Amino acid sequence: MDNALPARSASTEIPSSDLVSRLRAIVGRRHVLTGVSATRPYATGYRVGGGPVAAVVRPRSLVELWRALCACVAADHIVIAQAANTGLTGGSTPDGAYDRPVVILSTRRIVAAWLLRDGRQVVALAGTTLDGLERMLAPLEREPHSVIGSSCIGASVVGGICNTSGGALIRRGPAYTEYALYAQVDADGEVQLCNRLGLHLGAAPEAILGRLDRGEVSDADIESDDRAASAADYEAQVRAVDAPSAARFNADPGRLFEASGSAGRVIVFAVRLDTFPRDARTATFYVGSNDPGDLTTLRRRMLAEGRTLPVSAEYIDREAFDVAARYGKDVFLAVRRLGTQRLGTLFAWKARIDRFARWTRILPANLSDHLAQAASRLAPAHLPPRLTAWRDRYAHHLILKVAGEGIEETRTLLGAIFPSASGDVFECTAEEASAAFLHRFAVAGAAIRYRAIHQREVGALIALDVALRRNDEDWHAPLPADVAAPIVRTLRYGHFFCHVFHLDYLVETGADAAALERRMLALLDARGAEYPAEHNVGHHYPAKPALAAHYRALDPGNRLNPGIGGTSRALGWGMAGRGE
């Protein structure tokens, strides 16, 4: 690894109490959290996972993050890096027991980004959020990789890179870069700072990190331009509609490069990324059909024959539409009235309310869900009439956004296909387009809310994140009757042109959800599907061999986020994991 700068090595184990004192000296007493109640919001996953931690450390700068990391490694503690903790597979939280104490390094306070090349590129620090970067770039008429979905709940830029996350925007593909500044721990416990930003920032680790903390970076520092700062080759992949493989998925060996796909196996301080011009002129079409084949035909023709790729093509079925209309209504209204920048704060308040409920031992543990659901019932109908009319007429819905010269091309193509015996389309007003995308976004949390409100009826939520083969035309195939029998609700939604689907199954109380999920995954394996598609393995999916090998190469001592993907949790990878 070039530009690797050594720091200190691990020594004999230091008790957690002594380490806590050292960490407090680095970041301040207020920002080293101990005790179950203080650490629970960080040590519990957004949807799954959780476990005990010795401490949660909240550094304010990259220099503090570096010093805290070195102290933890020297004390022989496991380190889990965490940004917004919005992941859906528990990949940035502990999960059960480990052979060493665990410390979470939270980067939420390290929020800054520095522009290069008049904003065509950006250097984003560890805790910078997609929403914050979007607002920063707006005056320049540019955008980050993702501007819908995870960006609304405070997801971080670096988290997307570490997980090779996907997104709704077809032309941008998965989050990816070959430019990063990260710390790696070698097999002997030596912490090294690897400057792969392609920027000349000095020699000593703290000098490099201090410059970035202060924003002392400019075009004059650029010394490398021969690597990728985005997935610029994705257009060719997504257009290959006859390929017998997935267009994008987390474990794609072609997308595993140092920090990209690292999933916490290195500690990422900063990434250098491309930004994208904002489309000056767009149009959104709302397609409905009772025949999945109509949508298949549209996808194949637009990808294989269209001159320009659409901006996005978001799918939602009728059942997902209905569940989101009722159980995602509060999220829809919150974003509409308060904006995305305040949604992260609302989620923080939600966590506080639930902590209070647990403390009382009288109120339901998910009190915030009950309160939000009750409040949403008092609000008037929130969806435009044409959307609800299309819901009544059609089982399958596609929200298709196009830009520039693709607008007229799409109008012509849609006019040639619809109306048909099974479907139709309308061009959205600005209000309808905004509502349609917000409604689609609200689906993601609606299944969680449904389960919280119907705990007697629903025992588990199986949430699958799947990339189908690009040539798989049977994308809406139902489950076998015996597999579907214990399922109360099924929500299907996703990024249709990329053939990435989110499948949420609400399973009745008493059913063996683990066995049911194994059956579902076996069926997907038989179809040549890949999973996860964009949320990473976390502690939910087994890591495939290429991904497990990537983790092991990055973290040969198994000190950083061990156990994800079912890999070994032992120091030095002493025990073979199921993902290896």
Side-chain angles (χ1 to χ4, degrees):
M1 190 70 61
D2 63 344
N3 297 324
L5 307 170
R8 54 190 302 179
S9 61
S11 58
T12 57
E13 182 176 345
I14 301 171
S16 290
S17 58
D18 292 347
L19 174 60
V20 166
S21 297
R22 292 189 180 187
L23 294 171
R24 284 173 173 164
I26 294 169
V27 304
R29 178 173 291 272
R30 282 185 57 206
H31 298 294
V32 179
L33 309 180
T34 58
V36 175
S37 61
T39 60
R40 182 182 284 116
Y42 299 85
T44 304
Y46 177 70
R47 181 181 279 179
V48 298
V53 297
V56 174
V57 186
R58 304 185 302 186
R60 179 65 181 88
S61 67
L62 298 180
V63 170
E64 287 185 358
L65 177 60
W66 167 257
R67 292 173 179 172
L69 169 64
C70 291
C72 291
V73 173
D76 199 25
H77 281 47
I78 287 169
V79 174
I80 299 177
Q82 181 185 102
N85 194 16
T86 59
L88 301 182
T89 58
S92 61
T93 53
D95 186 72
Y98 295 81
D99 61 345
R100 291 150 285 161
V102 176
V103 173
I104 292 176
L105 296 183
S106 171
T107 63
R108 290 184 189 179
R109 301 173 66 224
I110 309 174
V111 179
W114 316 115
L115 300 177
L116 297 173
R117 297 199 166 110
D118 299 319
R120 296 193 303 279
Q121 286 192 332
V122 64
V123 175
L125 303 195
T128 303
T129 64
L130 283 164
D131 178 69
L133 183 56
E134 182 182 353
R135 285 183 278 115
M136 177 184 180
L137 293 171
L140 304 177
E141 298 295 327
R142 299 190 73 81
E143 294 176 334
H145 166 266
S146 180
V147 296
I148 190 173
S150 60
S151 60
C152 293
I153 55 175
S156 71
V157 175
V158 165
I161 295 298
C162 291
N163 293 329
T164 54
S165 297
L169 303 179
I170 300 167
R171 294 174 295 180
R172 299 177 194 177
Y176 180 76
T177 188
E178 296 172 3
Y179 291 106
L181 175 68
Y182 58 91
Q184 188 172 27
V185 185
D186 67 19
D188 297 323
E190 293 283 345
V191 184
Q192 300 177 338
L193 185 68
C194 303
N195 180 10
R196 298 279 285 159
L197 283 173
L199 303 174
H200 180 70
L201 298 172
E206 292 197 11
I208 293 172
L209 299 170
R211 282 192 60 179
L212 287 175
D213 279 330
R214 296 186 297 272
E216 295 173 359
V217 57
S218 70
D219 292 359
D221 299 309
I222 296 173
E223 58 182 9
S224 175
D225 261 338
D226 58 349
R227 300 194 297 274
S230 62
D233 59 342
Y234 183 66
E235 178 171 349
Q237 290 179 241
V238 76
R239 283 187 179 276
V241 293
D242 292 315
S245 59
R248 59 174 169 88
F249 57 100
N250 292 118
D252 182 352
R255 299 291 180 204
L256 302 177
F257 185 90
E258 298 176 0
S260 291
S262 61
R265 292 299 192 161
V266 295
I267 305 300
V268 181
F269 293 88
V271 291
R272 177 177 157 196
L273 302 166
D274 290 332
T275 68
F276 304 87
R278 175 179 290 176
D279 292 308
R281 191 168 59 96
T282 64
T284 298
F285 300 89
Y286 200 96
V287 181
S289 181
N290 291 315
D291 180 2
D294 283 347
L295 303 189
T296 298
T297 298
L298 178 61
R299 170 181 172 267
R300 290 182 60 86
R301 291 192 62 180
M302 290 193 73
L303 291 180
E305 303 170 14
R307 292 191 302 274
T308 59
L309 286 179
V311 175
S312 60
E314 292 297 286
Y315 171 77
I316 176 174
D317 73 359
R318 179 183 280 152
E319 190 162 14
F321 187 107
D322 290 346
V323 173
R326 183 169 182 180
Y327 297 95
K329 184 177 180 180
D330 60 306
V331 172
F332 180 105
L333 295 174
V335 175
R336 174 62 60 86
R337 296 175 182 178
L338 301 177
T340 58
Q341 66 269 27
R342 292 187 176 91
L343 200 56
T345 302
L346 290 180
F347 275 90
W349 275 105
K350 180 182 184 300
R352 291 188 184 101
I353 292 170
D354 289 340
R355 286 201 301 274
F356 171 76
R358 283 190 293 266
W359 177 77
T360 66
R361 300 186 180 181
I362 299 173
L363 298 168
N366 52 3
L367 175 62
S368 64
D369 287 300
H370 288 274
L371 293 175
Q373 191 61 31
S376 71
R377 293 194 188 103
L378 302 176
H382 61 296
L383 295 176
R386 282 206 289 185
L387 266 64
T388 55
W390 246 236
R391 176 265 168 223
D392 294 340
R393 291 172 60 184
Y394 303 115
H396 307 282
H397 299 239
L398 184 69
I399 310 162
L400 180 61
K401 185 176 181 179
V402 294
E405 65 181 33
I407 297 174
E408 196 56 43
E409 181 181 13
T410 303
R411 284 196 186 111
T412 301
L413 177 60
L414 290 172
I417 298 175
F418 300 105
S420 68
S422 51
D424 205 349
V425 63
F426 66 85
E427 186 168 346
C428 296
T429 65
E431 167 66 20
E432 289 170 332
S434 174
F437 281 112
L438 270 182
H439 186 55
R440 158 63 185 89
F441 164 68
V443 178
I448 300 173
R449 172 66 56 75
Y450 188 101
R451 181 190 180 194
I453 301 300
H454 299 276
Q455 287 188 322
R456 292 182 181 179
E457 176 189 1
V458 177
L461 168 62
I462 298 176
L464 302 182
D465 167 30
V466 179
L468 298 182
R469 303 187 326 268
R470 282 166 282 182
N471 67 345
D472 189 343
E473 297 190 7
D474 197 19
W475 54 270
H476 202 269
L479 291 169
D482 62 322
V483 179
I487 297 172
V488 176
R489 290 274 201 170
T490 299
L491 282 66
R492 296 172 180 265
Y493 55 102
H495 316 306
F496 186 64
F497 279 25
C498 298
H499 252 202
V500 167
F501 294 89
H502 303 295
L503 308 173
D504 290 349
Y505 300 100
L506 291 151
V507 182
E508 67 183 20
T509 300
D512 187 344
L516 198 61
E517 182 171 351
R518 287 194 294 271
R519 288 282 309 279
M520 293 174 179
L521 294 180
L523 291 169
L524 290 170
D525 288 338
R527 297 178 63 181
E530 295 284 354
Y531 51 86
E534 57 185 14
H535 293 158
N536 217 307
V537 291
H539 293 287
H540 187 72
Y541 298 96
K544 291 194 171 183
L547 187 60
H550 185 56
Y551 292 160
R552 192 158 188 164
L554 292 174
D555 182 23
N558 209 22
R559 292 176 169 86
L560 307 178
N561 208 14
I564 56 168
T567 56
S568 171
R569 297 182 179 219
L571 181 66
W573 299 80
M575 297 174 62
R578 58 187 171 91
E580 295 179 83

